Amino acid sequence: MAISKPAVPPRIPCQQCPLRPRPSFRDFTEDELDFVASFKVAETPAEPGMAIMVEGERNPSLYTVLSGWGFRYKILEDGRRQILNYVLPGDMIGLQGNVMKEMQHSVEALTRMTLCTFERERFPQLFRSQPTLAFDITWIAAREESMLDEHLLSVGRRSAYERAAYLLAFLDARAQAAIASHTELRQLPLTQQHVADTLGLSLVHTNKTLRKLMDQGLVRWLDRGCEIIDAAGLYRAAEWRPPKEGARPFI
């Protein structure tokens, strides 16, 4: 299973990348920008529900999310799904395949996405010729590990109510940093099934838990997803604050 729409030649030059002006991302030097522009080979579209990468398969490409939302997940043999994390603009997909050869998890598009596509076989060239970008790759991997640490803490020690508050607060904070349009900042394109599969709860338990957050005026659930009404209230409910990262790198 793979993305059904084929990759197309880059339509957005790296020099005009819409992520570059956003204050949450660090800018490139001229030499780095020229390298990334030569490294990018295509742009790949993905519709909601499409597989971007599949566990156990080898994919010749690496991707950076240019727009849209996706999620990483694993599935047990009986079909139960665990969502591991979500990917937003600026996030890299497929880095694990450079080390493990085969992907150890799958990635699916949550909304319509556009992905900057890079050839995996050219990846060593980045480490040889661009040490600063190579460090950025290390930073990206370390950041992902840090987020998974926090998720494991949440699943292991937070109550269902605290887990739900943490997840929505975490995604809202990430969206504010990664998405430019103010009309999108407080909208999370999740279903309650996505929340259940992330928190490790049944759908019934998840619905009851989210109802508590709604009754307290922290969130509103709509057909198109979750609207964040009181982010500070979610932080208090989860006993969590977004880490201060500064300008983050992306490739």
Side-chain angles (χ1 to χ4, degrees), residues 24-86:
S24 56
F25 296 106
R26 87 159 182 88
D27 203 357
F28 299 97
T29 66
E30 185 174 343
D31 182 56
E32 290 169 345
L33 190 59
D34 289 343
F35 177 85
V36 173
S38 68
F39 189 32
K40 178 180 173 180
V41 295
E43 289 170 16
T44 303
E47 296 297 324
M50 288 184 179
I52 298 169
M53 290 187 165
V54 177
E55 183 177 358
E57 291 188 355
R58 297 190 180 192
N59 192 307
S61 299
L62 289 162
Y63 306 100
T64 290
V65 180
L66 187 61
S67 64
W69 290 60
F71 59 91
R72 298 183 174 98
Y73 68 96
K74 293 178 74 73
I75 289 185
L76 295 175
E77 290 185 2
D78 63 5
R80 285 175 291 169
R81 180 178 69 176
Q82 177 66 48
I83 294 178
L84 308 171
N85 206 352
Y86 293 80

Side-chain angles (χ1 to χ4, degrees), residues 78-151:
D78 63 5
R80 285 175 291 169
R81 180 178 69 176
Q82 177 66 48
I83 294 178
L84 308 171
N85 206 352
Y86 293 80
V87 292
L88 278 73
D91 290 346
M92 179 167 274
I93 300 173
L95 183 61
Q96 184 186 81
N98 284 72
V99 179
M100 307 299 292
K101 305 303 180 185
E102 295 179 351
M103 290 298 296
Q104 302 299 302
H105 60 254
S106 300
V107 183
E108 181 177 308
L110 182 59
T111 68
R112 180 176 295 174
M113 301 178 74
T114 301
L115 306 167
C116 295
T117 307
F118 308 99
E119 291 180 343
R120 189 182 298 278
E121 64 180 16
R122 293 186 57 201
F123 199 59
Q125 183 182 347
L126 181 149
F127 285 86
R128 290 194 297 267
S129 63
Q130 297 290 333
T132 302
L133 292 180
F135 177 81
D136 287 348
I137 295 294
T138 304
W139 189 97
I140 290 169
R143 178 176 180 266
E144 181 69 23
E145 181 182 19
S146 176
M147 288 190 290
L148 292 177
D149 288 347
E150 190 70 36
H151 295 347

Side-chain angles (χ1 to χ4, degrees), residues 14 18-19 39 44 49 57 73 98 102 124 150 162 168 176 194 210 248:
C14 291
L19 301 182
F39 189 32
T44 303
E57 291 188 355
Y73 68 96
N98 284 72
E102 295 179 351
E150 190 70 36
E162 292 168 334
L168 300 180
Q176 288 192 68
H194 289 114
L210 293 175
R248 52 169 284 207

Side-chain angles (χ1 to χ4, degrees), residues 142-172:
R143 178 176 180 266
E144 181 69 23
E145 181 182 19
S146 176
M147 288 190 290
L148 292 177
D149 288 347
E150 190 70 36
H151 295 347
L152 182 58
L153 170 65
S154 190
V155 171
R157 290 301 177 185
R158 288 187 172 104
S159 67
Y161 171 80
E162 292 168 334
R163 277 189 240 175
Y166 159 74
L167 174 63
L168 300 180
F170 165 79
L171 291 177
D172 178 65

